Amino acid sequence: MNMIGGCDLRDIANRFGTPLYLYDAARIERNCHALRDAFNAHYPATDIFYAVKANGNPHLLRLIASCGTGADCAAPLEVTLAERAGIPREKIMYTGNYESRDDLAAAARCGAVNLDDITAIGKLPAGFDGILSFRINPGEGGGSHPGIVTGGPDAKFGIPIESAPAAYRLAVDRGFTRFGIHLMAGSNNRDPLFFARMAAILCHSAADIFRPLGILPEYFDIGGGFGIPYAEDETPLDLDAMARAVAATLALCASQHGVTPPRLRIEPGRFIVGDAGYLLARVTAVKKGLRRFVGLDAGMNTLIRPALYGSHHRVTVVGKETPAGMATLCGRICENTDIFAADIPFPAVTEGDIVLFHDAGAYCASMAFPYNGRLRPAEVLCDNGKPFRIARAENEAEFMERYEA
Ligand code: LLP
């Protein structure tokens, strides 16, 4: 693969330097529309709130917002990012956890807040007039690895379903009048029926919670989690089957409880940006040690997913396709977990070759951090063959500035 979004990878690497995150604008738009179309076909009363944490680059946020999505924010800075992207208040939502008073002061600028616990109610600023919702822990979860399962007994998120009636009762007693209900049970899930199961749990729980209180929720929010294939042999999430199953589940549940199905909210992050991003790195050194090590100018500080979750990212070399034995790809960080891939078939490479990590649009640039004196990389957006730098590489002067008293 030598071109992305109509941009030549060698030109991009020469012009903007490496390591570098590169995004394909058309792909982001296509992903937004694919998700929107699937729900329009089966459950048009669906609102999409992009999970800013997946990639909060302000330029990407503006692009994503231009497809009509709102934003789901997890911290005050993410609320500011969403506001600056021009997203109107009613399309900005806050889903935090263990929220502080400052967090909730920012959350109150949003049209809706999904609270992580009953104790958060007392910390919401007086006068919040948006939609109040609690995140419930559905008692089970499902993600592609244990580190990203966010529901079930080991998850730190949300309240048990049994505690929800008391939480909403308290909210009613405190004078709140607009309600939603939320869950988010796992990330990178490619099983269409998982989402329907979550919708069922949410809908049946809602009936038990809200009927005694005589109130109706304005939305059911089943969170994000829509997975993408990272490995060659993984199949994509069947969006049509997923949306169809969710719609059928909600229709059945609503009819069983004699209510009209409410609006649905979803909070996709990875699905929108994941496969639209790439990390470009250059080979700095090849070592014939006990294995063949290929050292890169990117490290675990640039792309931490392999080190943190054992995640797999497809890797290719620009202009070199044929494998010539096995190699272990690593960065220059002084940690032995600074390994991107161990013993994979890999072409014969030399210093300066450009290595491309695929599916690096979500939770990659946003999780980059400076370590070992290696700073965060630049980011470039390719829009129909035109590259735009959308983030400078961090530089030494900026880094040093923080320490000036
Ligand atoms: N909504 C909430 C409340 C979330 O916590 C998350 C992700 C999302 C939506 C978006 O989930 P998505 O659609 O992207 O699966 N760093 C990990 C993923 C952590 C997910 C955290 N929460 C990774 O690199 O795989």
Side-chain angles (χ1 to χ4, degrees), residues 281-289 291-299 315-317 320 324-333 338-357:
R282 279 195 198 270
V283 174
T284 54
V286 179
K287 186 196 287 184
K288 289 199 178 68
R291 300 157 184 230
R292 175 166 63 126
F293 288 102
V294 173
L296 303 173
D297 61 5
V315 200
T316 51
V317 180
K320 295 188 176 175
M326 308 302 263
T328 292
L329 305 191
C330 59
R332 294 169 295 171
I333 300 298
D338 181 28
I339 306 273
F340 291 115
D343 293 324
I344 56 165
F346 208 65
V349 290
T350 54
E351 184 186 351
D353 273 334
I354 301 166
V355 171
L356 188 65
F357 290 88

Side-chain angles (χ1 to χ4, degrees), residues 49-54 72-74 93-97 114 135 144-145 147-150 157 182-184 186-189 195 221-227 230 266-273 304-305 308-309 311 313 362-364 366-367:
F49 291 73
Y50 169 66
V52 176
K53 60 178 76 75
D72 178 55
C73 307
M93 185 159 65
Y94 193 94
T95 313
N97 59 95
N114 300 309
R135 175 176 185 162
S144 58
H145 26 79
I148 58 173
V149 172
T150 54
F157 304 99
H182 177 278
L183 64 72
M184 161 73 197
S187 188
N188 199 30
N189 198 311
F195 298 94
D221 185 335
I222 56 169
F226 309 96
Y230 281 92
I266 56 169
E267 304 162 4
R270 187 186 320 268
F271 191 87
I272 290 181
V273 287
I304 200 177
R305 301 190 70 256
L308 193 57
Y309 312 113
S311 307
H313 284 268
Y363 307 109
C364 293
S366 59
M367 291 178 78

Side-chain angles (χ1 to χ4, degrees), residues 180-223:
I181 185 163
H182 177 278
L183 64 72
M184 161 73 197
S187 188
N188 199 30
N189 198 311
R190 290 177 295 111
D191 172 9
L193 297 182
F194 170 77
F195 298 94
R197 202 159 63 246
M198 291 304 121
I201 294 175
L202 202 61
C203 180
H204 291 296
S205 308
D208 294 343
I209 294 165
F210 293 112
R211 178 166 305 116
L213 295 172
I215 53 178
L216 277 178
E218 292 184 38
Y219 66 75
F220 290 166
D221 185 335
I222 56 169

Side-chain angles (χ1 to χ4, degrees), residues 1 4 22-24 26-32 227-230 236 269-278 314 357-362:
M1 195 168 191
I4 283 166
L22 183 67
Y23 305 99
D24 178 351
R27 184 92 206 192
I28 292 177
E29 288 172 328
R30 209 174 337 141
N31 292 340
C32 287
I228 60 169
Y230 281 92
R270 187 186 320 268
F271 191 87
I272 290 181
V273 287
D275 67 0
Y278 301 80
R314 277 182 300 129
F357 290 88
H358 297 241
D359 306 308

Side-chain angles (χ1 to χ4, degrees), residues 76 79 89 94 99-110 112-113 115 118-132 171 174-176:
V79 176
R89 180 183 183 221
Y94 193 94
E99 305 94 331
S100 70
R101 283 169 203 274
D102 287 346
D103 291 341
L104 290 170
R109 308 206 305 265
C110 305
V113 181
L115 297 177
I118 188 168
T119 55
I121 286 201
K123 298 185 206 160
L124 252 181
F128 171 67
D129 61 353
I131 304 176
L132 186 134
R174 297 252 172 130
F176 291 96

